[in-house]
Amino acid sequence: KQEVTQIPAALSVPEGENLVLNCSFTDSAIYNLQWFRQDPGKGLTSLLLIQSSQREQTSGRLNASLDKSSGRSTLYIAASQPGDSATYLCAVAVDSWGKLQFGAGTQVVVTP
Amino acid sequence: NAGVTQTPKFQVLKTGQSMTLQCAQDMNHEYMSWYRQDPGMGLRLIHYSVGAGITDQGEVPNGYNVSRSTTEDFPLRLLSAAPSQTSVYFCASSSSRNTEAFFGQGTRLTVV
């Protein structure tokens, strides 16, 4: 069974510092990997989707890498801002129907 | 642009009661799914659908029922509520198997 792990569970950084969030998965047979943001009491917002054939994906200050062979993905957020404070979740698509297996998330606090 | 709409936002049930959580999307997406989110455990897949009339079980289907009679709607039925079903429930949709998932705002359910 695919297991997805996100370490650390919580992270606090000063404003302006770059954020590095880690996601690891046990089975390299994935169809894609997605990073989501969740604000307290809200739903999930998709940030980036990396297809299994891709190595990285970028959107603005966000960059995500994927290394299937080692079972790892990293989300980089450049020049963090207080508005980046949220929980970040990664999920892998485990079959051709796109069913998602989620990690427990990393709670990020960016202090002014 | 409504996206994925879930109702109700909050619900309190007594043990043994039944209810239906509603989910509707206006993006003409074929793929819809239900997840539950519990503290420290991430999101877990309950049921899944790849189109009208087609559903499949996820990781934690016991105690829940689904059907999909239209593309837009994917209701989740709790047959006989139990305290273990206290959770936050999210509905998601995507246009195909390898595209980003869109999530609703969630339904917070408490079973007493």
Side-chain angles (χ1 to χ4, degrees):
Chain A
K1 178 182 175 250
Q2 176 76 265
E3 292 189 3
V4 182
T5 304
Q6 293 185 249
I7 295 174
L11 184 61
S12 181
V13 299
E15 182 177 3
E17 195 166 294
N18 295 334
L19 276 165
V20 180
L21 305 179
N22 298 304
C23 173
S24 61
F25 45 95
T26 55
D27 188 343
S28 62
I30 64 170
Y31 288 78
N32 65 58
L33 184 144
Q34 298 184 48
W35 282 95
F36 295 89
R37 169 184 172 137
Q38 185 177 28
D39 293 293
K42 302 291 186 182
L44 282 68
T45 301
S46 179
L47 297 174
L48 291 168
L49 181 149
I50 312 176
Q51 303 291 354
S52 62
S53 58
Q54 296 177 314
R55 296 283 290 183
E56 68 175 348
Q57 193 68 255
T58 298
S59 175
R61 293 186 295 115
L62 277 59
N63 174 276
S65 65
L66 174 63
D67 184 343
K68 273 180 42 177
S69 61
S70 65
R72 292 182 193 170
S73 176
T74 303
L75 177 66
Y76 300 90
I77 303 178
S80 62
Q81 304 167 358
D84 294 327
S85 298
T87 297
Y88 292 83
L89 299 118
C90 74
V92 296
V94 298
D95 65 12
S96 60
W97 282 22
K99 296 177 187 176
L100 296 176
Q101 186 75 35
F102 279 84
T106 295
Q107 185 176 13
V108 171
V109 174
V110 181
T111 54
Chain B
N1 192 1
V4 180
T5 302
Q6 292 183 237
T7 55
K9 286 187 169 49
F10 302 93
Q11 183 70 49
V12 179
L13 284 181
K14 293 183 179 178
T15 297
Q17 285 185 319
S18 62
M19 80 160 294
T20 298
L21 308 185
Q22 301 291 345
C23 175
Q25 53 90 9
D26 61 359
M27 297 172 283
N28 202 32
H29 285 173
E30 290 295 325
Y31 290 67
M32 296 186 75
S33 50
W34 277 101
Y35 294 85
R36 59 177 289 173
Q37 185 176 35
D38 300 295
M41 297 188 71
L43 280 78
R44 292 180 292 169
L45 182 65
I46 305 171
H47 282 288
Y48 190 89
S49 171
V50 296
I54 307 170
T55 63
D56 190 21
Q57 293 183 351
E59 183 183 355
V60 288
N62 292 341
Y64 307 96
N65 217 349
V66 293
S67 61
R68 182 122 178 250
S69 55
T70 67
T71 300
E72 295 77 20
D73 300 300
F74 190 42
L76 178 72
R77 297 180 187 85
L78 278 71
L79 308 173
S80 177
S84 61
Q85 293 179 304
T86 293
S87 187
V88 181
Y89 291 85
F90 288 101
C91 178
S93 75
S94 59
S95 60
S96 66
R97 62 188 64 180
N98 233 1
T99 57
E100 65 177 320
F102 292 82
F103 280 77
Q105 293 296 293
T107 295
R108 184 174 295 274
L109 176 69
T110 302
V111 183
V112 298

